[in-house]
Amino acid sequence: MGKQRKSEAYPYSSGGWGSLKAVATILAQEKVALKDSTVLLRQNKPDGFMCVSCSWAKPADPHTFEFCESGAKATAWDTTTKRVTHDFFQVHTVSELLSWHDHDLEEAGRLTEPLRHDATTDRYVPVSWQEAFDDIGRELNAMDPEQVVFYTSGRASLETSYMLQLFARMYGMNNLPDSSNMCHESTSVGLKEAIGVGVGTITLDDFEKTDLMFFFGQNVGTNSPRMLHPLQDARKRGVPIITFNPLREPGLISFSNPQSVAQMLTPRETQISTQYHQVRIGGDTAVLVGLCKAVITADDAAAAGGAPRLLDEAFIGEHTHGFEDFARYVRQTEWADIEQVSGLTRVDIERAADEYTKANAVIIHYGMGLTQHRMGVQNVRMLCNFLMLRGNIGKPGAGPSPVRGHSNVQGQRTVGITEKPELAPLDKLAQQFSFEPPRKKGMNIVETFEAMVKGGVTGVVNLGGNLVRSVPDRFQTEPAWSRVRLIVNVATKLNRSHLVHGAVSYILPCLSRIEIDRQAGGEQAVSMEDSTGCMHGSRGVTEPASPDARSEPFIVAGIAKATLLNRSTVDWDAWRDDYSRVRAAIAETYPEIFHDFEARMWTPGGFPRPLPARERKWQTASGKAEFIVPSALGEDPDMMEREPGALRLMTLRTDSQFNTTIYNLDDRFRGIKGTRMVVLMNRADMASHSLQEGEEVTLQTIADDGIDRRVEGLRIVPYDIPLGCIAGYYPECNPLLPLWHYAKESKVPAGKSIPVRIAARAA
Ligand SMILES: Nc1nc2c(c(=O)[nH]1)N[C@H]1C(S)=C(S)[C@@H](COP(=O)(O)OP(=O)(O)OC[C@H]3O[C@@H](n4cnc5c(=O)[nH]c(N)nc54)[C@H](O)[C@@H]3O)O[C@H]1N2
Ligand SMILES: Nc1nc2c(c(=O)[nH]1)N[C@H]1C(S)=C(S)[C@@H](COP(=O)(O)OP(=O)(O)OC[C@H]3O[C@@H](n4cnc5c(=O)[nH]c(N)nc54)[C@H](O)[C@@H]3O)O[C@H]1N2
Ligand SMILES: [Mo]
């Protein structure tokens, strides 16, 4: 690091030999002897475990190897033979570990025993499980529940999540932020308003029935590679794919299937995108308005000339509300404005619209490129407007497809992890468990950290995650974290959030889902929901990393029992011993989704939850799907307009990381090696800022709140990226993201559009 590196564009398609090599490398790095083991073969299989990486759907009829490069890396990371034992902390003080790189902390290996921070020696020291539970219970009981937060990073199972939300409410609060607060909460809000459900409406079957797919701001090759299989099959049927992304991401350009011998041995590969449009950062509402304008204009002409109509008038008439206002807005919007904001030409947008009007069934896949913006919710609503023009919701082969991140992030919400009381079945819980749940709105992630900065959070219990790295404004939020009195981290591996400790801090080592979970009631299974709303059972297959690690349900039950004492009607010990009792409780709370849960959880391909929008039933205020007029064409200009030379920064992930978990420093697909401290920049912008390739620069946030936010030591990498746009990595650039810079209606931090100025090091 630090040394100047040249970038080489990755010369191959995604997948392929590079992918196999990357898998072999990480298996060796983690010293995992998979040749004697069947672990990867049981990944994402009906009788095996559900991958701990992304949440993409698991097919009923899986491939022999139903895993991808990312999933294999995630498995290797968890099944590593490296261990953190208490002698690790005899060698390293917490202060010393604070100087370690994120990669090195996790690379130390799996956590093996419960630990408590000892301020006198500045070390973590072993503690028994019961002592830890009792002390945490005492601490929580001495606090105002409204000042305590339980965070869930999206891996926890349906069973664990349900137990945690019930515990929180019996304890007395709704402070249940989860990782979707930084991720697809713009989807949960936007889709709910527009079509009455907060999740995507497509299933894997729809890939076989679609005529056209769009990708907006989702990087499939890196972040959900198993999805490349159905995409490849669709391409073989001749289905076009149109992509809008500021970067030409290799995974969206072409793919060679590392599991197809024929494709590996011949240079043939599947072209993924048939049209690729490099939209400017934050230009998607403008693109979508342009697409709608092209369709409505062509339909106006068809109507005038007596030709067949292009709008699905029957759908619009019967199923939607607000079309006339929306159409008026679209007709009035000028092409010049659309072109300026999107950075694309009218001809480009019309070319995409032309494909759209030829297709009978259209899917739109999207990700963080739409949701992590000030206008993130509006982007999602606009995508629905566009789909609705031709009835592309609630019919086979069509619909919105938010590609979720963490493997059970969608499911956690389904079973009650939410800070919004109206989204939890509080009356039902009250009756089922004979208690009075709190009705006051809880805190999401941004609100938690706003309160924390003011000293208003006294305790946090984290079911996974690494919040000091994943949240915005690191130089404000990290010091605030260390002022929290009680910090409990349930985790598989060591990370920085464990080291920036409070007065009373615990690290509680948990099993990974890949491991066999033995309880008094026998070997236990858990369940989760994938990105397409299907529920799957998951059974561990490897020996636990340590005899002193415990399952997440065990840990949640232990803390709940020690805190609630005789204030709870739940037999936490019984739930801990036999998770089918938890599933029975889930089924009682949500019978329409989880009836016959125990039997159905092993259905190959999962069992789908009912989704009214799939049947064209709209649970919105008007009872119809809503056309919603956007409030502006572009991303919030923030302070950018006032400053010549201002740039918009997006924060990206690589194939060598899973969020804050950094497997190594390379970005194989984008051709960057050995460092993550880079800025990707257009050559014309480099010239106008007088910057050279490899030059060291500082980025500084443009804001008027008096706080100097900067990241130094970044190197310039010339890159094919639209003018005025730059890219850096998450989490390295998180100090630049102000806590108040979030999507207006969902409070998702706007990590894809941070206004910054750039300066050479000497400046
Ligand atoms: N290997 C790996 N897999 C992962 C993860 C990981 O870190 N590593 N993380 C998991 C999680 S939690 C999540 S949420 C998902 C995230 O997966 P994605 O949703 O794919 O998220 P990102 O990689 O952050 O960004 C996606 C794309 O958005 C584009 N983009 C940025 N700004 C804009 C814009 O204004 N408009 C448009 N149209 N595009 C834009 C970027 O160029 C990038 O290609 O992946 C999950 N899977
Ligand atoms: N600037 C910027 N910021 C972002 C993003 C961005 O694109 N740009 N993306 C956002 C998104 S989409 C997300 S989802 C968040 C993620 O934010 P977080 O949820 O905070 O972070 P992760 O990196 O997913 O959590 C990693 C840690 O989880 C623990 N862990 C791993 N597996 C398990 C398990 O099975 N059980 C338990 N209990 N612990 C486990 C390990 O200790 C590991 O160190 O970050 C967000 N932050
Ligand atoms: Mo995410």
Side-chain angles (χ1 to χ4, degrees):
M1 297 236 322
K3 201 167 119 249
Q4 185 176 327
R5 308 262 177 182
K6 277 230 177 248
S7 74
E8 305 152 25
Y10 186 62
Y12 311 107
S13 58
S14 60
W17 294 112
S19 183
L20 284 186
K21 186 165 164 248
V23 171
T25 307
I26 192 150
L27 293 178
Q29 177 185 312
E30 296 311 309
K31 302 191 174 20
V32 183
L34 285 183
K35 62 180 188 325
D36 304 325
S37 142
T38 55
V39 59
L40 281 172
L41 287 172
R42 296 183 64 185
Q43 188 149 327
N44 297 322
K45 295 292 173 54
D47 64 337
F49 67 96
M50 292 300 128
C51 181
V52 295
S53 183
C54 82
S55 57
W56 183 243
K58 286 87 185 154
D61 179 18
H63 301 82
T64 314
F65 305 99
E66 190 56 45
F67 62 87
C68 64
E69 174 180 345
S70 297
K73 283 178 183 165
T75 298
W77 202 245
D78 276 9
T79 53
T80 180
T81 52
K82 299 178 187 176
R83 297 286 178 272
V84 171
T85 51
H86 69 267
D87 37 311
F88 176 87
F89 289 100
Q90 280 164 7
V91 179
H92 307 290
T93 62
V94 170
S95 312
E96 181 212 326
L97 291 168
L98 278 169
S99 68
W100 284 29
H101 190 278
D102 294 319
H103 165 82
D104 299 337
L105 289 174
E106 289 212 26
E107 179 68 16
R110 288 287 299 278
L111 295 159
T112 53
E113 58 189 328
L115 300 164
R116 188 194 148 112
H117 183 251
D118 176 22
T120 49
T121 57
D122 188 31
R123 292 172 204 280
Y124 271 97
V125 295
V127 56
S128 78
W129 280 101
Q130 200 53 51
E131 267 177 89
F133 291 157
D134 290 342
D135 189 35
I136 294 166
R138 259 191 315 273
E139 285 285 335
L140 288 175
N141 280 327
M143 290 175 182
D144 173 359
E146 288 187 8
Q147 298 194 321
V148 174
V149 173
F150 294 175
Y151 172 73
T152 336
S153 176
R155 277 191 193 180
S157 63
L158 294 170
E159 291 80 354
T160 312
S161 305
Y162 182 82
M163 290 167 76
L164 189 78
Q165 62 84 31
L166 187 60
F167 167 33
R169 293 181 167 122
M170 289 182 162
Y171 173 56
M173 52 74 169
N174 285 304
N175 294 331
L176 288 163
D178 83 341
S179 58
S180 59
N181 286 154
M182 297 180 267
C183 187
H184 266 294
E185 186 66 18
S186 303
T187 293
S188 310
V189 174
L191 287 187
K192 182 96 183 72
E193 284 172 348
I195 62 170
V197 293
V199 298
T201 63
I202 68 145
T203 63
L204 273 179
D205 292 345
D206 290 310
F207 277 78
E208 289 159 26
K209 297 173 187 143
T210 191
D211 300 326
L212 170 66
M213 291 188 259
F214 283 88
F215 267 90
F216 276 90
Q218 203 275 336
N219 186 11
V220 59
T222 295
N223 296 329
S224 46
R226 281 185 309 106
M227 193 178 168
L228 287 165
H229 296 291
L231 287 180
Q232 193 184 29
D233 293 343
R235 285 291 302 121
K236 284 192 187 136
R237 285 197 297 117
V239 173
I241 296 180
I242 303 178
T243 295
F244 289 90
N245 194 309
L247 302 181
R248 290 183 58 77
E249 303 281 27
L252 285 160
I253 292 172
S254 59
F255 172 58
S256 50
N257 188 341
Q259 300 179 357
S260 152
V261 176
Q263 277 209 347
M264 292 293 285
L265 296 180
T266 59
R268 250 182 327 120
E269 55 194 29
T270 311
Q271 177 198 26
I272 299 289
S273 299
T274 48
Q275 286 187 33
Y276 208 112
H277 302 288
Q278 288 181 267
V279 59
R280 285 179 61 187
I281 294 176
D284 300 277
T285 287
V287 168
L288 286 156
V289 169
L291 288 167
C292 292
K293 187 173 176 74
V295 174
I296 290 175
T297 310
D299 181 73
D300 288 344
R309 300 290 297 269
L310 297 176
L311 296 178
D312 185 339
E313 288 183 286
F315 176 82
I316 293 173
E318 187 185 340
H319 288 288
T320 71
H321 170 253
F323 173 72
E324 284 311 325
D325 286 346
F326 177 69
R328 194 172 316 117
Y329 165 82
V330 167
R331 289 191 182 99
Q332 281 167 2
T333 307
E334 300 289 341
W335 276 111
D337 294 332
I338 294 170
E339 290 186 325
Q340 200 225 331
V341 178
S342 67
L344 301 174
T345 65
R346 174 176 176 174
V347 174
D348 285 335
I349 295 174
E350 284 178 342
R351 197 154 55 90
D354 191 45
E355 287 278 13
Y356 179 69
T357 52
K358 285 192 222 139
N360 285 322
V362 179
I363 294 175
I364 304 188
H365 304 289
Y366 70 96
M368 300 299 100
L370 285 199
T371 61
Q372 293 178 334
H373 283 288
R374 298 273 270 196
M375 300 301 206
V377 174
Q378 171 173 296
N379 283 336
V380 174
R381 294 177 188 139
M382 262 315 299
L383 180 146
C384 292
N385 292 338
F386 178 51
L387 285 170
M388 279 157 16
L389 291 182
R390 287 179 51 81
N392 279 309
I393 300 183
K395 75 178 174 192
S401 163
V403 185
R404 300 269 171 171
H406 264 301
S407 49
N408 194 37
V409 64
Q410 187 164 315
Q412 294 180 342
R413 291 301 214 201
T414 303
V415 295
I417 296 281
T418 173
E419 74 286 357
K420 296 176 182 164
E422 69 277 15
L423 297 184
L426 296 185
D427 292 337
K428 178 77 205 185
L429 293 175
Q431 171 241 317
Q432 193 176 337
F433 297 101
S434 314
F435 77 116
E436 193 37 60
R439 307 278 165 165
K440 189 176 159 200
K441 189 193 161 301
M443 295 187 276
N444 58 29
I445 278 291
V446 164
E447 290 155 357
T448 295
F449 279 83
E450 284 169 346
M452 199 182 285
V453 168
K454 293 189 199 128
V457 175
T458 53
V460 287
V461 176
N462 301 296
L463 209 48
N466 183 6
L467 289 174
V468 304
R469 295 300 270 144
S470 58
V471 301
D473 244 342
R474 173 163 167 212
F475 297 137
Q476 269 54 251
T477 47
E478 190 175 293
W481 184 260
S482 69
R483 295 193 296 269
V484 173
R485 176 171 167 83
L486 172 72
I487 303 179
V488 179
N489 286 296
V490 179
T492 48
K493 290 206 170 177
L494 192 61
N495 66 44
R496 189 170 178 90
S497 302
H498 309 160
L499 303 169
V500 183
H501 59 84
V504 182
S505 289
Y506 283 92
I507 304 177
L508 304 179
C510 67
L511 299 181
S512 153
R513 192 154 72 226
I514 304 170
E515 290 160 342
I516 300 167
D517 181 354
R518 298 185 182 91
Q519 302 297 342
E523 280 185 20
Q524 301 298 313
V526 291
S527 55
M528 50 229 50
E529 174 177 349
D530 71 31
S531 214
T532 63
C534 292
M535 313 293 167
H536 305 261
S538 175
R539 214 189 289 282
V541 297
T542 62
E543 280 302 314
S546 155
D548 292 325
R550 293 288 182 272
S551 74
E552 290 182 330
F554 181 103
I555 298 169
V556 172
I559 301 176
K561 186 181 171 192
T563 308
L564 299 171
L565 303 168
N566 59 2
R567 284 178 283 143
S568 161
T569 52
V570 173
D571 184 346
W572 295 99
D573 290 342
W575 282 18
R576 173 198 66 198
D577 293 345
D578 180 357
Y579 307 166
S580 71
R581 296 195 173 108
V582 186
R583 285 188 287 275
I586 295 176
E588 190 182 336
T589 311
Y590 305 92
E592 60 297 342
I593 305 178
F594 291 105
H595 63 87
D596 305 312
F597 194 0
E598 207 57 30
R600 291 197 299 156
M601 68 190 273
W602 301 108
T603 312
F607 67 86
R609 60 189 266 188
L611 280 177
R614 241 179 228 160
E615 274 106 57
R616 297 194 164 176
K617 294 189 188 119
W618 316 102
Q619 293 183 339
T620 57
S622 66
K624 306 248 175 172
E626 294 281 347
F627 278 99
I628 305 175
V629 176
S631 62
L633 210 48
E635 180 62 353
D636 193 327
D638 303 301
M639 308 293 294
M640 290 191 64
E641 282 179 348
R642 283 197 228 156
E643 185 163 316
L647 298 162
R648 210 178 268 295
L649 167 75
M650 59 174 162
T651 52
L652 295 172
R653 12 168 90 66
T654 73
D655 64 302
S656 306
Q657 76 184 93
F658 194 92
N659 298 337
T660 67
T661 295
I662 310 296
Y663 303 130
N664 67 53
L665 302 181
D666 297 340
D667 185 344
R668 188 161 59 84
F669 292 134
R670 302 195 187 98
I672 295 160
K673 293 212 177 98
T675 177
R676 298 172 50 87
M677 295 298 284
V678 292
V679 182
L680 279 47
M681 195 173 191
N682 185 304
R683 281 195 187 273
D685 279 330
M686 283 168 57
S688 61
H689 286 84
S690 308
L691 294 169
Q692 309 298 318
E693 176 166 1
E695 189 169 344
E696 198 173 312
V697 293
T698 297
L699 292 183
Q700 188 186 24
T701 308
I702 304 175
D704 61 359
D705 62 356
I707 298 180
D708 180 9
R709 297 179 179 83
R710 57 174 75 207
V711 170
E712 298 173 342
L714 298 163
R715 301 253 172 205
I716 296 286
V717 174
Y719 211 79
D720 182 4
I721 181 170
L723 275 178
C725 303
I726 56 174
Y729 291 123
Y730 145 63
E732 286 77 359
C733 289
N734 282 37
L736 295 167
L737 179 54
L739 189 55
W740 44 260
H741 187 70
Y742 48 69
K744 286 182 197 159
E745 303 89 340
S746 64
K747 296 207 170 173
V748 170
K752 295 293 184 274
S753 58
I754 312 173
V756 292
R757 58 178 75 95
I758 194 164
R761 192 184 181 201

